[in-house]
Amino acid sequence: MPRSKPDQIKSVVESALAAARDKRDSVEKLCRAWQAVAGKNASGHSSPVRISKSALVVTVDNPVWMHYLHCRKYDIENKLTMLLSPGKRVRVKLRAGEPCDYADKK
């Protein structure tokens, strides 16, 4: 059985960097979509932290903002679905916690 040729380190590094760029671009797109849908004030008190079983998990730092986002949840889910995945419904799970500090968040 012939031995397979080892991968060159350059191709391994390039593919790892490409994967990291794709993930960063996806996170930035998700954050921009969240800011657009939730609104500037609400996105200042909340941020998406992960996607878990086709649901977007969002942390919210204040009970008042949690209530506000909960009241708008159906509308937010519809808008996120249109922006991010028109073929599959996006669900939102709101959780108490500190929002992530993203560079483009103001």
Side-chain angles (χ1 to χ4, degrees):
M1 183 177 244
R3 291 180 82 174
S4 63
K5 201 173 186 182
D7 293 335
Q8 290 186 357
I9 190 75
K10 180 181 177 183
S11 65
V12 172
V13 170
E14 285 175 349
S15 69
L17 288 174
R21 276 191 298 274
D22 290 345
K23 186 173 182 176
R24 183 194 69 221
D25 292 344
S26 296
V27 169
E28 288 174 359
K29 179 181 177 183
L30 179 61
C31 290
R32 282 193 305 272
W34 177 254
Q35 288 174 337
V37 170
K40 185 177 180 179
N41 290 331
S43 67
H45 293 275
S46 61
S47 66
V49 290
R50 70 179 177 277
I51 296 177
S52 173
K53 296 181 183 177
S54 75
L56 176 63
V57 179
V58 177
T59 58
V60 185
D61 68 353
N62 184 300
V64 175
W65 286 106
M66 177 78 78
H67 179 73
Y68 172 79
L69 290 170
H70 181 75
C71 290
R72 294 194 51 226
K73 187 175 172 181
Y74 183 77
D75 183 46
I76 289 171
E77 289 175 340
N78 287 338
K79 289 179 180 178
L80 283 173
T81 297
M82 290 187 326
L83 283 173
L84 299 174
S85 64
K88 186 176 180 185
R89 180 154 177 82
V90 174
R91 293 182 307 120
V92 173
K93 290 184 179 181
L94 301 171
R95 301 285 183 250
E98 288 299 313
C100 295
D101 187 24
Y102 296 109
D104 60 344
K105 236 179 135 170
K106 299 201 170 56

